[in-house]
Amino acid sequence: MRNVYLDYSATTPVKEEVLNEMIPYFTEKFGNPSSLYDKGLESKDAITEARERVASLINASAGEVFFTAGGTESDNWAVFGSAEALKSKGNHIITTKIEHHAMLHSCEFLEKQGYEITYLSIDKDGYISLDELEKAITDKTVLISIMMVNNEIGTVQPIKEACAIAKKHGVLFHTDAVQALGNVEIDVKDLGIDLMSMSSHKIYGPKGTGALYIRKGVRIANYLHGGAQENRKRAGTENLPGIIGFGKAAELSKANFENHVKHCSELRNYLKDRIINEIPDTYVNGTMEHRHPGNLNITFKYIEGESILLLLNQFGISVSTGSACSSTSLNPSHVLTALGVPVEMIHGTIRFTVGDFTTKEDIDYVVENLKTIVSRLRELSPVNSMKGW
């Protein structure tokens, strides 16, 4: 049986070049970077090189990149660190209804502490309104956080314009770029970003490693306390192999960026065209313009997306019914809800995400099995004749 992985937005396989660079740091190059003897200094130098590689991918200075345990920690640090550092200024934060739960749940926690949170809406294509953003700012606003690329529908938000609004009003700006890294061009200096979350395992690096970009001059409170690691900003002995892997993955991502985007977008569009043209009563959620190159979010009317997922799995095909971080939840996707998709249609939605190792033959295999599965499920569905969905 063929195995086809189409869930690259959930996680990516570690590339061979990345693994090969990591392996020595599990064995002979295991020194603690805080130690002053040769093995420790060797590890410290390796972290410095990895930091430079990640910084180069986003056009930042190496001193502005701080390694974390992943995108979730980076989001939490950005929110709680900003709130703590700026609490004398105010208690108002602006974000969107379609953020990752690492952001939404952090904001919900702050609401219980007395903070006011404004959640921006999105239009039918998945974009925020810049006018709504500017009108939401008050003299107590301490942070604006808008994700760069949505993890479910792949929409690329107007971050540069949003940053300009934040700067105009003297408000700190953070973006969750976990899905954007390696998939859209990121120049933090040109965009005007103050804080940005990143994750290694979305760009063919190891899990458990991420980073927070903190623009030089921006002051936020520490999130973890203890030792003096990460320039005294993030305590704890560094995940040496993970950081080395993240650095190599970032280097490869930069070198392969144009080929990656071209490869993914062509296969994604090929998949979209085949599904839309060959399977009736299907439609794409979100705009196809300014979208993650590998993301395709499709609703199949009259059937359950979970049933499609499980049957595809029997043919060795891996997809998602939404964001992987909340795939066990029975609640309808908050992103598709914000997009205005009816609940019954949300439950019939599948997210396909292609990547560097996806082939055209993989897409053909998926579509042929998908056509059979959807047809059979609709025959069994008690609502397959319903109108007005």
Side-chain angles (χ1 to χ4, degrees):
M1 180 175 64
R2 190 184 190 99
N3 284 301
V4 178
Y5 183 75
L6 291 186
D7 203 16
Y8 281 83
S9 281
T11 194
T12 59
V14 174
K15 286 189 173 178
E16 184 177 0
E17 304 96 315
V18 174
L19 179 61
N20 289 339
E21 194 148 326
M22 291 174 64
I23 286 175
Y25 292 91
F26 287 104
T27 52
E28 66 266 24
K29 298 182 179 182
F30 60 85
N32 189 317
S34 296
S35 300
L36 296 180
Y37 43 75
D38 286 350
K39 275 194 176 296
L41 295 175
E42 178 183 49
S43 296
K44 186 174 182 179
D45 288 343
I47 288 179
T48 297
E49 183 180 4
R51 198 184 312 278
E52 291 171 349
R53 286 171 163 178
V54 174
S56 178
L57 180 58
I58 61 172
N59 193 30
S61 300
E64 298 173 309
V65 173
F66 298 87
F67 290 115
T68 67
T72 292
E73 183 191 319
S74 297
D75 280 351
N76 274 253
W77 185 7
V79 175
F80 294 124
S82 299
E84 176 63 24
L86 299 170
K87 61 184 179 182
S88 62
K89 176 187 176 183
N91 65 341
H92 178 231
I93 292 173
I94 300 172
T95 187
T96 80
K97 294 180 180 179
I98 62 169
E99 297 296 307
H100 189 278
H101 283 115
M103 178 58 60
L104 294 178
H105 289 170
S106 295
C107 288
E108 289 170 8
F109 177 86
L110 285 176
E111 282 185 291
K112 295 176 182 177
Q113 312 306 310
Y115 278 76
E116 295 181 7
I117 314 293
T118 297
Y119 298 93
L120 302 177
S121 301
I122 56 171
D123 64 20
K124 61 181 180 60
D125 291 322
Y127 297 124
I128 63 162
S129 163
L130 294 172
D131 288 339
E132 183 186 1
L133 168 61
E134 186 155 24
K135 289 176 182 176
I137 298 173
T138 73
D139 58 358
K140 294 185 179 298
T141 305
V142 296
L143 179 70
I144 296 170
S145 181
I146 299 171
M147 71 191 322
M148 190 174 293
V149 174
N150 185 262
N151 52 308
E152 291 194 41
I153 58 174
T155 309
V156 182
Q157 297 295 341
I159 296 299
K160 185 173 183 176
E161 294 80 359
C163 283
I165 291 172
K167 184 176 181 180
K168 173 183 174 182
H169 293 274
V171 178
L172 211 58
F173 189 92
H174 165 258
T175 185
D176 178 334
V178 167
Q179 293 292 337
L181 194 68
N183 290 302
V184 300
E185 288 192 33
I186 301 176
D187 182 331
V188 291
K189 291 184 173 64
D190 177 64
L191 293 172
I193 295 165
D194 295 311
L195 303 163
M196 187 175 79
S197 301
M198 298 171 276
S199 181
S200 164
H201 77 105
K202 307 294 187 178
I203 60 166
Y204 307 91
K207 299 173 181 64
T209 306
L212 181 65
Y213 161 77
I214 305 176
R215 182 177 58 79
K216 185 177 180 180
V218 170
R219 293 181 179 274
I220 67 170
N222 290 358
Y223 185 57
L224 294 179
H225 302 272
Q229 293 87 357
E230 294 301 293
N231 197 24
R232 300 182 180 275
K233 287 187 178 295
R234 197 269 186 184
T237 301
E238 299 90 341
N239 175 5
L240 182 59
I243 289 171
I244 301 307
F246 190 8
K248 183 62 176 179
E251 179 185 63
L252 293 174
S253 181
K254 182 177 180 179
N256 191 47
F257 178 77
E258 290 184 4
N259 289 333
H260 166 77
V261 171
K262 183 175 184 291
H263 173 80
C264 290
S265 58
E266 287 180 353
L267 286 180
R268 186 271 314 275
N269 291 340
Y270 177 62
L271 174 61
K272 174 188 71 74
D273 291 343
R274 286 210 60 186
I275 290 176
I276 296 299
N277 292 330
E278 299 177 38
I279 303 177
D281 294 318
T282 58
Y283 71 91
V284 177
N285 294 302
T287 179
M288 290 303 297
E289 297 182 10
H290 307 297
R291 189 184 186 110
H292 181 297
N295 175 286
L296 183 64
N297 190 291
I298 295 274
T299 290
F300 299 85
K301 295 174 72 172
Y302 316 128
I303 49 179
E304 288 284 332
E306 185 173 314
S307 298
I308 299 174
L309 182 152
L310 295 174
L311 290 173
L312 284 173
N313 184 59
Q314 292 182 8
F315 290 94
I317 300 167
S318 302
V319 297
S320 173
T321 53
S323 63
C325 301
S326 60
S327 59
T328 57
S329 173
L330 295 177
N331 296 324
S333 159
H334 67 288
V335 175
L336 296 181
T337 298
L339 197 63
V341 180
V343 173
E344 63 272 18
M345 295 178 109
I346 291 175
H347 286 300
T349 298
I350 293 290
R351 184 190 69 180
F352 303 89
T353 42
V354 304
D356 285 353
F357 299 110
T358 309
T359 66
K360 186 176 180 182
E361 290 73 22
D362 288 336
I363 300 301
D364 289 333
Y365 178 76
V366 169
V367 174
E368 292 308 314
N369 284 288
L370 188 60
K371 286 160 65 176
T372 300
I373 288 168
V374 170
S375 177
R376 288 177 179 173
L377 287 174
R378 283 177 174 166
E379 288 176 2
L380 297 172
S381 173
V383 293
N384 63 358
S385 61
M386 287 182 64
K387 304 298 182 183
W389 278 35

